[in-house]
Amino acid sequence: MIDTHAHIDTDAFEADRDEVLKRAFDAGMEYIIIPSIGVEAFKNLQDLVESEPRLYRGIGIHPHNVANVTDDDLERVERESFLKKVVAIGEIGLDYYYDFAPKDVQQDIFKKQLEIAKRRKLPVIIHNRDADDDVLKILTEAQDGTLEGVLHCFSGTPEFLKSALDLNFHVSYTGNITYKKSTLAETVLQTPFERMMIETDSPYLTPVPHRGKRNEPGYVKLIAEKIAEIKNTSLDEVLSMTSNTAKKLFRLSIIAFCVVASFKTAWAQEETEGEYYEEEEIVNPYKKFIGVGFTVGTNTIVETQKLLAPATGERPFSYDGLISFGPTITYSPLDWLILEGTYLYSENKKVIFTPDRKQGIQSNSNTYQFIEICSHIVLRPESRINFFATFGGTYIISNINGGPDAVSAPNEPPPSGNSRTALCGGAGILGNIPTPFGIITPVAEWRLNFQFGEDKDRIVDQNNVRADITTFYSIPRFTLLWYPSF
């Protein structure tokens, strides 16, 4: 089971947080998602989720805390959405029950955080209290086919449910459905499992029979039991279906698989400490020498723009979803060491403002050629499934609007290529498939290339604002390698 919404980073759990988590995991909890509510708590929440492989988080600003939100705060939300274990933008939305922030301010910040989610391709966790019409209106305007997320602590009518489902949103139920005066049975009954999740919203909305006490993630099973009763089905089906829905929406499966596996390896090493046993020689059945293959991935170019006068400050910007592809060759001098050379080609057709687009002159798309030379350190080379870490260097040949037909704007130098070096690093998983003609090795990896130096004095928007730009490239990729038998 998965608790998709629990505020266990708050002071309510300060005295016994470890015990609360132990009870939850002992009860069968797979993962817990902790949404953030304010900028001041971002760091503590990140430290918490990094301390336990089964904890994940959202990043966002709750409507209670938006009265004094600045552009810097919103830029921080987007910047930190790249951090490890952030799986959503949230908790965001509207709350008209309390008067902590004017309605127009809440709506403005809500819309801006929805745009961040779309740029980052992350689901949203939405708070809605007494604001059904405005929430639906804003979501309808923002929905361009890419926005997805969950209306948490859902307490709407069946009609509101239908509108949410039509917008491709999920809903999540919490302890209030167990209350004697609850009117949500019909709404729960009409919610398809593939759009339904469960949550505790700890420390609030404690389910029966613990109502009146502090809520905690271990109680999420009580909510599943109530849903099973309403839908006249088994508890196991509710837990299985809601967990699968949560894993799909928040993309937990692949992330969690790698994280948990690394923790299990550490635990296994600790368990063997102090034991006396006769060492056996480990024979590697998957010895490799030279491999050849092809790599394909998606390149996200992430810029930090340091604005120059008259504008000041920094802001993040990214181009995402750029296809990258090219050949790869590897050499394994040792079982645990793989040396790799990869060439990747990537083209950015999403360029909006560059020097060559000044005064209406059309620019060519930017191209990037990556020549990566790196090393992989393999954790258990004798296993069929291996985890590995990557480090090395990259030579980037970038052609910024410098194609054969490019022309420069008045008073601008002609476009030209721009070559850079970068530091690359990453982590991934590979498999070994023995065949009569060698070993086939599929590889899935997330790799980052951090470009050295800044691009100086570049135009970054239609107002001719200039900036010095620091860039890194996020390129998750899949490689298929063949190691022939010699």
Side-chain angles (χ1 to χ4, degrees):
M1 57 188 176
I2 298 174
D3 187 350
T4 60
H5 198 110
H7 297 284
I8 57 173
D9 61 317
T10 58
D11 291 343
F13 296 97
E14 197 63 36
D16 63 344
R17 186 175 293 112
D18 291 343
E19 291 82 358
V20 168
L21 290 174
K22 185 178 187 304
R23 286 195 291 271
F25 295 135
D26 287 348
M29 188 73 66
E30 287 185 86
Y31 312 116
I32 301 171
I33 297 174
I34 313 170
S36 60
I37 57 176
V39 175
E40 68 284 348
F42 282 0
K43 184 180 186 305
N44 287 340
L45 178 50
Q46 184 66 20
D47 290 342
L48 174 59
V49 298
E50 288 182 353
S51 71
E52 162 57 55
R54 291 164 287 189
L55 299 181
Y56 292 87
R57 65 169 294 203
I59 186 166
I61 304 173
H62 191 286
H64 285 177
N65 299 318
V66 300
N68 299 308
V69 165
T70 66
D71 288 342
D72 287 343
D73 293 331
L74 292 172
E75 288 173 4
R76 184 176 176 187
V77 169
E78 183 158 9
R79 183 170 63 251
E80 295 194 16
S81 69
F82 289 93
L83 291 175
K84 181 175 64 174
K85 306 195 78 177
V86 171
V87 297
I89 301 297
E91 174 177 1
I92 64 176
L94 303 177
D95 193 313
Y96 294 169
Y97 182 82
Y98 291 104
D99 191 24
F100 293 144
K103 290 181 180 180
D104 60 333
V105 174
Q106 290 189 46
Q107 292 173 19
D108 180 58
I109 302 303
F110 183 27
K111 292 175 183 178
K112 288 178 178 177
Q113 292 187 97
L114 289 174
E115 292 304 310
I116 292 173
K118 290 196 291 185
R119 287 196 294 271
R120 292 287 297 111
K121 291 183 169 57
L122 287 172
V124 290
I125 299 171
I126 294 178
H127 174 100
N128 167 35
R129 191 167 187 186
D130 290 356
D132 290 0
D133 291 343
D134 283 346
V135 165
L136 281 179
K137 180 176 182 293
I138 290 171
L139 291 181
T140 300
E141 292 172 350
Q143 183 58 274
D144 59 359
T146 65
L147 186 63
E148 58 181 349
V150 57
L151 292 160
H152 105 93
C153 189
F154 192 74
S155 56
T157 63
E159 293 73 25
F160 185 50
L161 170 68
K162 183 179 184 305
S163 298
L165 298 180
D166 288 345
L167 285 169
N168 196 34
F169 272 78
H170 299 66
V171 298
S172 181
Y173 293 106
T174 187
N176 59 345
I177 69 169
T178 69
Y179 299 165
K180 184 179 296 186
K181 295 183 179 180
S182 172
T183 60
L184 292 171
E186 184 60 30
T187 304
V188 172
L189 191 61
Q190 293 188 25
T191 306
F193 274 129
E194 62 269 19
R195 297 291 191 86
M196 178 191 294
M197 295 183 293
I198 54 178
E199 60 168 286
T200 59
D201 200 17
S202 303
Y204 317 107
L205 295 171
T206 310
V208 172
H210 303 289
R211 190 176 184 186
K213 303 176 183 178
R214 181 193 66 180
N215 201 0
E216 61 180 69
Y219 296 160
V220 76
K221 190 174 183 179
L222 298 170
I223 300 157
E225 290 174 351
K226 186 63 177 180
I227 292 172
E229 175 189 324
I230 294 171
K231 284 184 167 284
N232 192 26
T233 188
S234 69
L235 173 63
D236 286 345
E237 182 179 13
V238 174
L239 292 176
S240 174
M241 295 295 288
T242 56
S243 294
N244 288 339
T245 299
K247 290 175 183 176
K248 182 178 179 182
L249 177 64
F250 295 111
R251 300 159 178 93
L252 289 175
S253 298
I254 294 177
I255 301 171
F257 179 70
C258 295
V259 172
V260 172
S262 65
F263 270 75
K264 284 184 175 179
T265 300
W267 293 335
Q269 290 173 345
E270 290 176 3
E271 288 172 358
T272 59
E273 289 182 1
E275 295 182 1
Y276 295 92
Y277 57 89
E278 183 178 353
E279 288 191 12
E280 297 181 1
E281 181 182 359
I282 298 176
V283 178
N284 181 9
Y286 307 111
K287 282 189 173 291
K288 304 179 179 73
F289 183 47
I290 293 177
V292 294
F294 191 80
T295 296
V296 63
T298 58
N299 180 17
T300 297
I301 305 172
V302 183
E303 298 179 349
T304 299
Q305 300 175 352
K306 299 178 182 178
L307 303 178
L308 305 176
T312 59
E314 290 186 358
R315 65 184 182 189
F317 190 84
S318 65
Y319 302 104
D320 54 8
L322 312 178
I323 299 299
S324 299
F325 57 89
T328 294
I329 185 168
T330 65
Y331 167 61
S332 301
L334 301 169
D335 285 355
W336 54 269
L337 177 63
I338 300 175
L339 305 180
E340 178 213 298
T342 292
Y343 167 82
L344 288 178
Y345 175 86
S346 184
E347 185 173 1
N348 182 7
K349 296 182 179 180
K350 301 181 179 183
V351 178
I352 302 173
F353 300 107
T354 65
D356 305 307
R357 258 198 171 153
K358 279 186 66 179
Q359 302 185 12
I361 295 178
Q362 180 67 38
S363 298
N364 297 316
S365 55
N366 295 349
T367 61
Y368 301 84
Q369 300 177 73
F370 299 83
I371 301 173
E372 299 174 325
I373 305 295
C374 58
S375 302
H376 304 301
I377 306 300
V378 181
L379 184 62
R380 293 175 60 85
E382 72 280 359
S383 299
R384 183 179 290 268
I385 302 296
N386 296 171
F387 293 94
F388 63 87
T390 300
F391 62 91
T394 303
Y395 185 64
I396 305 171
I397 306 170
S398 56
N399 202 1
I400 309 301
N401 293 314
D405 300 321
V407 291
S408 58
N411 302 317
E412 291 287 344
S416 62
N418 180 24
S419 298
R420 294 283 191 179
T421 55
L423 181 68
C424 71
I429 183 172
L430 64 84
N432 294 306
I433 306 173
T435 71
F437 47 85
I439 297 174
I440 301 296
T441 300
V443 184
E445 181 186 2
W446 196 311
R447 192 177 301 179
L448 300 174
N449 284 284
F450 296 91
Q451 181 175 293
F452 291 114
E454 295 180 329
D455 292 321
K456 297 289 188 180
D457 197 18
R458 271 179 43 189
I459 292 176
V460 293
D461 65 22
Q462 71 270 34
N463 297 317
N464 292 333
V465 172
R466 292 182 175 271
D468 294 338
I469 299 176
T470 302
T471 307
F472 74 86
Y473 306 85
S474 172
I475 313 180
R477 81 270 307 273
F478 177 80
T479 303
L480 191 63
L481 291 166
W482 170 48
Y483 289 90
S485 302
F486 289 97

